[in-house]
Structures are given as C-alpha cells and as structure tokens.
Amino acid sequence: MNWMKKWAGKFPVFVAEAHGAHFTDVDGRDYVDLCLGDTGAMTGHSPAGFTDAIAHQAKRGITLMLPTEDAIWVGEELARRFGLPLWQFTLTATDANRFAIRIAREITQRSKVLVFNYCYHGTVDEAYITLQDGVAASRHGNIGPPVDPTLTTRVVEFNDLAALESALLHGDVACILAEPALTNVGIVHPDPGYWAAAANLAKKYGTLLLIDETHTICAGPGGYTRAHGLKPDLFVIGKAIGSGVPAATFGMTAEVADRITARIRLEDCDTGGIGGTLAGNALSLAAIRATLENVLTPEAFAHMIPLAERWANGVANAIAASGLLWHVTRLGCRAEYLFRPRPPRNGGEAAAAMDFELERFMHLYALNRGVLLTPFHSMALMSPATSAADVDRHSEAFTSAVRELVASA
Ligand SMILES: Cc1ncc(COP(=O)(O)O)c(C=O)c1O
C-alpha cells in the first residue's frame, strides 16, 4: 500500500509482532502504536478475550453459507448500541458503504449520492470527488474511475446547510453518505445543530441519511450516532468492529428494510450486486461478537477517552510554548493536530492546511523516538491497552520536535 511507501527513508519499519498498544520491529525495537492500523486495531493488537474466541471459532468452521448463533447475538447488540433493528455483514467498510448505497438508490429510484468535500469512505467510486475552486471534479490521483464521479455524485462542503439544500433540491440524491464528524482530513466537527438541520433537509427532499461510523466509533460505545442522538436510515461500521479480522456491517431502519424487501424476488440469487461469498462468515461474526462483548466495552471507552485528552493536552501545551500557529482537535479517543491556528469547519479548509513534508518530518521524528502515528495524517488513537506512559512518550517527542523546528526556523 502507498502508506507503507510514504515514510521518509527507503523502506518502512517491518513488524515482528504486536501486542496491545505496542509493536516490536524486526530489529527488536519497541514502539507505541498510536496509528493502530488506522482504526482496524483500535481494540489494541490481539486483545485478551478476543484471541481465544477467534481460536475457538477457527477450530469449529470458518465459513459456511448459513448463519451461526453469533449472528443473533451480534444483530441484537448492534441494534442495542446503534439503534437500527436490521443488519447485514460484509468483509470491509468499503463494501458495506457500497451495498448501502445500492439499497438507497434502489428504493429511492434516484441516481446520485451526496458526499462532503475531502471525505473518505474507503474505495467507494462515488466518493472520489472534490471541489476545485468550487467546482466538482474527480479527485486528484483517482485511478481509472469507472464513471466520471461528477455524473454520480454531488459534493458540498461540510457545515454548509445552504449548499446542502441547493444540492438536494434537484431531487436526484438517493442518500447523503457522511461521517458524522470528518476524520479523514484531520478532524472536522459539525457545528452545533448541524446534523438536526441536515437530517431535516434530507427528509424534506426524500433523501436517505447513510452514516459511516467506521472511524467515529471513537466517540463512544454507540458511536457518534448514539452519543448525539442521530437517526440515520442506513449505518455502516467496519475495521475495529472485528478487532482487525475482516468484518464490517451495515444496518437499516425497518422502513428501509421493508422497501428493499418489497423489491427483491427470492429466486434472484447473485443478481443484486450486494454481498460476497465470505460475507457474514462464522469467523467474522465470532470476531464482532468477541469485540463487542469483551473489548470495545463502555469501561474501555472510559479508559481511552481521558487518554486522548491527555494526548491532546500534551500537544496543545507544546504548540502554545512554541508559538506555532497549529492546533489540536479531539473526538472521543481520537485526536489530531493540524498546521493551522483554528479547527477547520470543512474539508476544504482542512485540506489547505496539509503539508506533506512537514508531516513526514513530524512522523519520522516520533518514529525515531518509538512512536508510530498514522502515516497520512497526524492522528493518534487510544486503545484499551494504551497507557499514560505511552501518551507521555509522544508528548516528549512532539515537544522536542517543535522546539527543534522553531529553533531552526
Ligand atoms: C470513514 C471510513 N469509512 C470506510 C473506510 C473503508 O474501510 P476499509 O478500507 O476497511 O474498507 C474507511 C477507511 O479508512 C473510513 O475511514
């Protein structure tokens, strides 16, 4: 993957093994992992209470074309946590998004998807679009798009209700695909009241709301949706939900389920463009169950969120002492610094503050002092296994990096 090549230097660090919040490289050096597989390992690496459950299932069958009892437990727990009654399973969050979009298109009989500028939802073709000088265009670096995304997608800035309404009033948008707070271009919080107003607009124009909580699960055990009372029609989560074992899911309201069920004939097998042979396999379901039952518990979040506060305070103190015009933002157990003085209100503002070389310097500086950050942005994530000492290792490295930067300027 490109993010393995992105590191300054000729080769990435190669991992020997990883446990909890740490990994060891092939030369025996220990690192604090604040990247955590860009959320895939937000649970900590191979957490206790998880590996035994996986080993147990691995010995009892990995994939069938039938459900196991874990599907019932998981479906009920997902409904309890996130508020939607019905769930289907995939192997990646990308797939979950793609399938949820198909359902939205089918039941609304509308062709377009709406996304926010500089969003990321996995390799969903429709989302590879940005605003360039206010005009929608295929995203820079988009490889061989099957269709020009301007034909499939409307894109607007986050936190701009007027732009959202202008896009929706064409009456051709099947769904809004959104992270409730952007996390893939730094962290961009919604303005107070933004989601209530955006949801009302969606309803007014007959557009469904598809919330992608793959990263924003960092907000708490029920994700941002539960913490802030959102009412999505469709809901996606992947990555951490299986502690890194390929597993993801999309949920829907009873109304969405009824509308799509009414359009499906039982004898049409493998013609819907949804699913996959390994989707909903026994190992994935055991992984989701073990994660929700034993790892991403309310107690775990009570440990992780204060650590992210500690991390953000360490960074904020160093920024204040240095006089640099940077800031740090936090969402639950995730935090990120950005090279601009105030938090951005939208993806365009956040993207304008990115600085590839500066980022590589900061990341390499931390890596050389035993701390791994997410390679393509300056994000840190806390796991249930992360400790205050781990966080402080980063604060020391960050403080010394900004001191050296300012001294050399
Ligand atoms: C919000 C969001 N949705 C979906 C995905 C896609 O996840 P995957 O690559 O596991 O399909 C990502 C990946 O970073 C993401 O950040």
Side-chain angles (χ1 to χ4, degrees):
M1 293 303 300
N2 146 293
W3 50 73
M4 296 184 186
K5 286 182 65 186
K6 233 173 167 172
W7 287 99
K10 290 212 171 356
F11 52 85
V13 167
F14 277 68
V15 176
E17 55 185 296
H19 301 282
H22 287 237
F23 69 90
T24 311
D25 73 13
V26 288
D27 296 316
R29 278 183 290 256
D30 167 68
Y31 298 81
V32 173
D33 189 356
L34 296 175
C35 166
L36 293 170
D38 191 25
T39 312
M42 182 179 132
T43 49
H45 297 288
S46 303
F50 172 80
T51 44
D52 287 351
I54 294 304
H56 180 72
Q57 186 59 50
K59 288 181 198 149
R60 290 153 53 97
I62 290 175
T63 193
L64 303 107
M65 280 199 157
L66 291 170
T68 53
E69 283 191 331
D70 283 342
I72 299 170
W73 189 96
V74 166
E76 286 174 356
E77 175 64 9
L78 291 169
R80 198 184 63 74
R81 284 201 186 209
F82 302 118
L84 293 111
L86 293 149
W87 296 85
Q88 287 202 277
F89 299 95
T90 65
L91 295 183
T92 66
T94 298
D95 269 356
N97 278 321
R98 290 178 44 234
F99 303 156
I101 289 171
R102 273 187 174 261
I103 289 176
R105 280 201 172 112
E106 179 65 24
I107 64 180
T108 59
Q109 291 291 294
R110 293 176 174 190
S111 63
K112 286 195 165 59
V113 172
L114 182 138
V115 298
F116 293 107
N117 200 21
Y118 286 100
C119 67
Y120 185 74
H121 297 281
T123 50
V124 172
D125 291 315
E126 287 86 345
Y128 283 76
I129 188 165
T130 49
L131 291 170
Q132 287 165 22
D133 298 324
V135 179
S138 186
R139 193 153 180 181
H140 185 71
N142 189 4
I143 298 172
V147 184
D148 176 354
T150 61
L151 300 176
T152 60
T153 313
R154 296 192 182 279
V155 54
V156 298
E157 287 288 11
F158 197 53
N159 280 325
D160 185 343
L161 286 167
L164 180 64
E165 180 152 24
S166 310
L168 294 182
L169 56 76
H170 295 273
D172 58 3
V173 177
C175 67
I176 299 171
L177 167 60
E179 285 192 282
L182 306 187
T183 67
N184 280 292
V185 57
I187 296 171
V188 185
H189 287 276
D191 290 343
Y194 176 75
W195 274 116
N200 280 340
L201 287 176
K203 204 175 196 137
K204 179 173 169 191
Y205 293 104
T207 296
L208 301 176
L209 182 58
L210 163 46
I211 290 289
D212 179 354
E213 289 264 10
T214 300
H215 278 186
T216 47
I217 183 66
C218 61
Y224 195 100
T225 290
R226 213 52 196 231
H228 295 269
L230 305 191
K231 297 256 177 301
D233 301 290
L234 291 148
F235 179 105
V236 161
I237 184 166
K239 297 199 190 185
I241 196 85
S243 298
V245 168
T249 181
F250 59 102
M252 64 196 83
T253 59
E255 192 202 333
V256 168
D258 288 346
R259 286 171 72 186
I260 190 65
T261 307
R263 301 180 72 86
I264 297 171
R265 293 189 322 158
L266 205 53
E267 58 265 50
D268 289 338
C269 198
D270 279 351
T271 61
I274 286 181
T277 312
L278 299 181
N281 72 76
L283 191 68
S284 292
L285 268 295
I288 300 178
R289 178 173 183 166
T291 302
L292 296 179
E293 206 167 18
N294 305 323
V295 191
L296 290 184
T297 58
E299 299 71 42
F301 281 92
H303 169 78
M304 290 142 73
I305 293 174
L307 283 177
E309 281 166 4
R310 186 182 182 104
W311 189 90
N313 287 339
V315 170
N317 290 340
I319 292 174
S322 72
L324 286 169
L325 298 177
W326 300 357
H327 79 279
V328 57
T329 322
R330 185 181 61 81
L331 175 65
C333 65
R334 174 188 305 276
E336 173 141 3
Y337 58 85
L338 202 59
F339 310 127
R340 53 176 274 132
R342 278 180 309 284
R345 280 193 61 234
N346 58 49
E349 283 183 10
M354 297 288 166
D355 184 325
F356 183 60
E357 282 309 319
L358 183 53
E359 197 173 85
R360 288 219 304 175
F361 165 75
M362 295 300 292
H363 292 193
L364 187 63
Y365 198 98
L367 191 72
N368 283 338
R369 287 151 187 81
V371 180
L372 184 82
L373 290 160
T374 314
F376 38 85
H377 45 116
S378 301
M379 192 273 293
L381 194 58
M382 307 299 140
S383 76
T386 309
S387 69
D390 295 335
V391 168
D392 294 346
R393 201 196 281 189
H394 176 266
S395 300
E396 280 158 32
F398 183 86
T399 306
S400 143
V402 291
R403 259 198 218 121
E404 280 198 45
L405 263 181
V406 171
S408 67

